[in-house]
Amino acid sequence: MRTASADLLAVRTVTVDGSDVYLRVTDSPVDLEIRWFRDGRVAGAPVLFPAGDRSRRLLGANFPAGTTFCLDVVGEQADAWRGVVDWNV
């Protein structure tokens, strides 16, 4: 499993076939909608993270090895939150 918390919007690469991607928001003053995207195209449906909710949520499942992905914030709150993303799970 790979885990990152520094630059949550950075490009990541899946290295294990069938991997899932999870996010746990650790700090956010507002409700967030987060989705994954790749190749400059939005690909995942937005997942709601209510303000103050620190539960881990599935963003996408069954990615093939070699897939690169980024996270995207729906709306204007791109810098107002912190969290931990796990992939190759």
Side-chain angles (χ1 to χ4, degrees), residues 55-72:
S55 60
R56 184 177 182 238
R57 300 189 192 288
L58 178 68
L59 295 182
N62 203 26
F63 291 94
T67 301
T68 58
F69 70 95
C70 297
L71 301 183
D72 182 39

Side-chain angles (χ1 to χ4, degrees), residues 4-89:
S5 60
D7 182 0
L8 292 169
L9 305 179
V11 176
R12 293 172 172 83
T13 302
V14 172
T15 59
V16 178
D17 275 332
S19 291
D20 298 338
V21 174
Y22 293 90
L23 177 66
R24 182 174 52 88
V25 173
T26 58
D27 181 32
S28 176
V30 297
D31 293 347
L32 294 172
E33 284 185 284
I34 308 285
R35 61 186 170 204
W36 61 272
F37 70 99
R38 66 179 181 205
D39 303 326
R41 297 182 315 231
V42 172
V47 176
L48 178 63
F49 292 85
D53 184 351
R54 292 190 166 101
S55 60
R56 184 177 182 238
R57 300 189 192 288
L58 178 68
L59 295 182
N62 203 26
F63 291 94
T67 301
T68 58
F69 70 95
C70 297
L71 301 183
D72 182 39
V73 179
V74 179
E76 307 271 333
Q77 303 297 328
D79 296 328
W81 63 284
R82 297 187 200 298
V84 177
V85 62
D86 299 322
W87 69 105
N88 292 336
V89 178

